[in-house]
Amino acid sequence: MAKPKLSFYDVKSKKKFESDDYKVKEKSGRFFAVAKSKSGPHECWRVLSKDQAQKLK
């Protein structure tokens, strides 16, 4: 099953983009989707709810 596309905001380029190439990470009890930026080598993080994280894992 393919992962659904999520929208991310790149703070360095100040642009939104969609990607289905991301990893779900947990940090300090919160869940995030982490995608590689389209405009550089940095990562873009997006906050997920616990329910979203469970569905996307």
Side-chain angles (χ1 to χ4, degrees), residues 3 9 13-14 16 18 20 23-24 28-29 31 33-37 40 42-44 47 52 54-55:
K3 289 196 263 185
Y9 181 73
S13 70
K14 297 184 175 72
K16 275 185 150 183
E18 285 194 345
D20 59 358
K23 293 182 184 120
V24 176
S28 306
F31 293 94
V34 183
K36 189 170 176 340
S37 170
H42 55 280
E43 294 178 329
C44 299
V47 178
Q52 280 179 307
Q54 290 302 323
K55 288 177 190 167

Side-chain angles (χ1 to χ4, degrees), residues 9-55:
Y9 181 73
D10 186 338
V11 292
K12 290 193 178 183
S13 70
K14 297 184 175 72
K15 290 186 177 140
K16 275 185 150 183
F17 66 94
E18 285 194 345
S19 177
D20 59 358
D21 184 20
Y22 53 83
K23 293 182 184 120
V24 176
K25 293 187 180 181
E26 183 180 353
K27 197 169 190 175
S28 306
R30 296 184 77 190
F31 293 94
F32 300 90
V34 183
K36 189 170 176 340
S37 170
K38 304 274 189 209
S39 65
H42 55 280
E43 294 178 329
C44 299
W45 290 58
R46 172 200 167 119
V47 178
L48 297 174
S49 70
K50 259 188 184 169
D51 293 340
Q52 280 179 307
Q54 290 302 323
K55 288 177 190 167

